[in-house]
Amino acid sequence: MKAYWQLTLAQLRIFARNPQVLFFTLLFPIILMLALGSFLGNSGGTSIYMAVVDHDGSTASKQLLSTLSENDAIQLDKSSDVNEALDELKNNEYQVVMEIPEGYGDQLQSHTDESKAFDLPVYYNETDASASQLGLTVVESAVDQVSKNIENYSPVVAVQPEGVRALDLGYIDFLVPGIVAMMIMNNNMNGVAGQISAWRERGILRRMQGTRLKASTFIAAQITARVILNGLQALLVLMVASLLFQVQVNGSWLALLTFVVLGTLAFMAIGFIIAGLAKNPESAGPIAAFASFPMLFLGGVFFSINTMPEYLQPIVHILPISHLSTALRETMNVGTPFFDLWTHWLTLAAWLVGAFIIASRTFKWE
């Protein structure tokens, strides 16, 4: 146990005494977050994915759909089941769902100045706040045009918006969990691969093997030091995001910490595999970069994985970083309970076990 704590403290001192390590592990993610958050802030995409459930099927409802489809910012889909459309809304496939009830056309034909405006249910996904608000604006403009087309204009149709997830989120809320996931990947997969390869080339691992030090103690100390480092860095990123951008953690801090630890272990295991395959530190870096670079764009760090092309979806849903970023985002933004995210922590655990089995076979002291 004494050797374990000494190795853990030694690893933390190595981090603290290397200015480059401190910069890239602590300051770089914060600088990246500040840059993207300042430029993009709460902005979102310009394409609105919208589903319409037309129960009326009248000429008036078709004219409303035609008005909506003329807007280039809207990707309009027709659905026959409102519950199915709402399920897809909750899964972030749509930002807005509009329901046209029966009697819509008759109400417009019989409307008088004394008539009450027809309520048109419109559901929006507040997890994607900017796109949803833009969608509501477009819908309100379209139904207002319907009213203006009636002689002696008075409100004929009134939008009744209903939030499916009562959250006030912007792009920065989407970005911060992705930054934390990127940090965990870089610190552990790239960091472990480079450090272990360098220690092997300098003979440090060989000298450790010649002592009574057990491999399990060495690995446990590495894990502990990196879990502490990642936990402190995640806390620092969240503090800066909270102070400057008012980003909040809506879910359980314990669940958030659990995913940080799971992500750390999974990417450490992958880093040990790369260190075992690399012949020297010079080759470890490019191998780690070759593995990590695609994950930055396919793992939901900066962009939603739902917007990825269909042919990439099977690959995206296998990557560990996509599950880590999604789990962190669901925990922070939506407050989803830990056990409801079982697919994500189970996938990360599978990567952890599988990668450590492979790492145990590829790891070399010399």
Side-chain angles (χ1 to χ4, degrees):
M1 184 60 69
K2 183 178 180 181
Y4 160 73
W5 286 114
Q6 287 177 338
L7 281 172
T8 301
L9 293 175
Q11 181 64 60
L12 291 173
R13 291 192 189 102
I14 290 174
F15 290 139
R17 292 172 181 172
N18 192 325
Q20 290 183 336
V21 171
L22 285 178
F23 175 80
F24 284 104
T25 58
L26 294 177
L27 295 182
F28 176 72
I30 294 177
I31 292 173
L32 181 61
M33 178 185 67
L34 292 176
L36 293 176
S38 299
F39 283 107
L40 299 177
N42 292 321
S43 64
T46 56
S47 294
I48 310 301
Y49 293 89
M50 177 177 178
V52 176
V53 183
D54 186 3
H55 295 300
D56 192 54
S58 63
T59 302
S61 66
K62 293 177 181 178
Q63 288 176 347
L64 177 58
L65 294 181
S66 176
T67 302
L68 289 170
S69 63
E70 290 174 359
N71 193 305
D72 294 334
I74 287 185
Q75 303 292 327
L76 193 65
D77 291 336
K78 295 181 180 179
S79 178
S80 59
D81 190 310
V82 66
N83 291 324
E84 180 180 338
L86 289 177
D87 287 339
E88 293 175 341
L89 176 70
K90 293 175 183 177
N91 291 327
N92 297 316
E93 295 184 26
Y94 296 115
Q95 284 87 37
V96 178
V97 172
M98 182 174 71
E99 182 181 8
I100 305 178
E102 293 182 6
Y104 169 81
D106 295 337
Q107 174 75 9
L108 262 62
Q109 290 181 354
S110 60
H111 178 77
T112 64
D113 291 342
E114 292 77 20
S115 299
K116 182 181 178 181
F118 189 88
D119 289 337
L120 195 64
V122 177
Y123 307 90
Y124 59 97
N125 185 352
E126 288 191 353
T127 303
D128 195 350
S130 57
S132 299
Q133 292 303 316
L134 179 58
L136 286 174
T137 301
V138 172
V139 172
E140 289 172 351
S141 175
V143 299
D144 190 55
Q145 186 62 43
V146 172
S147 297
K148 289 180 178 179
N149 290 336
I150 303 296
E151 189 177 358
N152 298 323
Y153 166 70
S154 62
V156 176
V157 183
V159 172
Q160 292 295 323
E162 180 178 342
V164 174
R165 294 178 181 176
L167 299 172
D168 184 15
L169 302 174
Y171 178 70
I172 189 64
D173 298 277
F174 177 90
L175 176 66
V176 171
I179 293 290
V180 174
M182 179 197 72
M183 164 202 83
I184 292 172
M185 179 184 68
N186 287 338
N187 285 358
N188 297 286
M189 186 172 75
N190 300 35
V192 167
Q195 185 180 63
I196 298 300
S197 298
W199 284 3
R200 182 187 298 114
E201 185 177 57
R202 291 160 57 187
I204 295 176
L205 295 184
R206 184 176 63 251
R207 290 194 294 271
M208 287 184 178
Q209 186 186 25
T211 67
R212 293 184 296 176
L213 178 66
K214 295 180 181 179
S216 59
T217 303
F218 170 73
I219 295 175
Q222 287 286 313
I223 291 173
T224 304
R226 291 186 179 275
V227 166
I228 293 173
L229 179 68
N230 289 336
L232 291 175
Q233 185 179 16
L235 182 61
L236 181 61
V237 170
L238 294 177
M239 287 176 58
V240 173
S242 176
L243 291 173
L244 298 183
F245 301 111
Q246 291 74 52
V247 174
Q248 297 180 349
V249 178
N250 295 307
S252 167
W253 279 89
L254 180 60
L256 189 68
L257 178 61
T258 301
F259 280 114
V260 169
V261 173
L262 266 176
T264 298
L265 296 177
F267 283 109
M268 274 194 71
I270 299 173
F272 274 111
I273 293 176
I274 296 173
L277 296 176
K279 295 182 179 180
N280 50 56
E282 288 74 19
S283 61
I287 294 174
F290 179 79
S292 63
F293 187 75
M295 291 195 205
L296 291 177
F297 298 96
L298 298 178
V301 173
F302 303 109
F303 314 103
S304 173
I305 60 176
N306 294 324
T307 62
M308 301 285 179
E310 191 67 29
Y311 66 89
L312 286 177
Q313 290 294 330
I315 300 175
V316 168
H317 289 292
I318 293 175
L319 298 176
I321 194 171
S322 65
H323 290 277
L324 179 59
S325 61
T326 302
L328 293 174
R329 197 166 284 124
E330 286 287 323
T331 302
M332 288 182 58
N333 294 347
V334 185
T336 305
F338 177 77
F339 288 103
D340 288 352
L341 300 171
W342 64 271
T343 55
H344 300 300
W345 56 258
L346 194 60
T347 303
L348 287 172
W351 270 96
L352 167 61
V353 173
F356 261 116
I357 290 174
I358 298 173
S360 64
R361 298 179 181 276
T362 59
F363 183 77
K364 299 183 292 289
W365 288 96
E366 299 183 13

